[in-house]
């Protein structure tokens, strides 16, 4: 084997190890908003929704912990019959704190309506971003009146 081939193989191994290290450090966090569509009204969003968090943790205090570079995917489900109800997240909107996602508004993806994906672009350990999730409900293929908002947090993992 000639010296050029040996150097190329070593460089390829180093590059491969570096790429593996980069991809191993990012995670994907799935956040599912659970909505009781039979009781949901503009006045009771918090009482009709949750993220599956422990009892006693309010939706506004529910916190996603993620590292810079991680992806967060938000989706939503109806927790009750009829099965024809759909909950579609339309946007994630920065409210306060450091804008960890790098955009003020992130809308749903045309290929996956009702699903929003973003990447944590910046932040230091412990920093918190307050954001709101805007969603709508479809019943039997028709949009229910109103757009609903719920406001959890993202915190950069230590």
């Amino acid at each position: 084997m000639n010296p050029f081939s040996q150097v190329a193989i070593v460089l390829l191994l180093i590059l491969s190890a570096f790429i593996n290290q980069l991809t191993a450090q990012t995670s994907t966090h799935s956040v599912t908003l659970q909505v009781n569509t039979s009781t949901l009204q503009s006045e009771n969003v918090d009482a009709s929704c949750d993220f599956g968090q422990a009892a006693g943790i309010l939706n506004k205090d529910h916190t996603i912990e993620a590292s810079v570079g991680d992806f967060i995917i938000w989706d939503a489900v109806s927790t009750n019959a009829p099965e024809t109800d759909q909950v579609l997240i339309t946007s994630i909107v920065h409210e306060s704190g450091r804008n960890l996602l790098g955009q003020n508004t992130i809308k749903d993806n045309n290929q996956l309506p009702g699903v929003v994906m973003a990447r944590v672009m910046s932040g230091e350990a412990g920093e918190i971003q307050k954001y709101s999730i805007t969603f709508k409900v479809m019943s039997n293929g028709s949009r229910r009146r109103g757009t609903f908002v719920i406001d959890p947090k993202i915190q950069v993992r230590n």
Side-chain angles (χ1 to χ4, degrees), residues 78-125:
S78 174
T79 59
N80 58 291
E83 291 78 25
T84 56
D85 283 359
Q86 282 186 293
V87 182
L88 304 170
I89 295 178
T90 55
S91 64
I92 303 296
V93 179
H94 174 257
E95 295 292 328
S96 65
R98 180 156 182 188
N99 190 338
L100 304 174
L101 304 176
Q103 298 178 47
N104 286 332
T105 302
I106 302 168
K107 298 206 176 262
D108 70 338
N109 182 325
N110 289 335
Q111 267 107 57
L112 292 170
V115 177
V116 177
M117 185 172 99
R119 189 171 197 175
V120 179
M121 302 301 289
S122 64
E124 301 295 324

Side-chain angles (χ1 to χ4, degrees), residues 1-9:
M1 187 178 291
N2 70 34
F4 176 75
S5 296
Q6 290 174 336
V7 170
I9 290 172

Side-chain angles (χ1 to χ4, degrees), residues 38-81:
S38 67
T39 63
L40 179 67
Q41 296 181 16
S42 297
E43 309 81 44
N44 72 349
V45 174
D46 278 323
S48 297
C49 301
D50 66 57
F51 297 97
Q53 71 266 30
I57 297 177
L58 301 174
N59 290 325
K60 68 179 187 170
D61 296 325
H62 176 69
T63 304
I64 301 162
E65 290 189 2
S67 298
V68 173
D70 286 359
F71 290 94
I72 303 172
I73 300 172
W74 291 268
D75 67 351
V77 297
S78 174
T79 59
N80 58 291

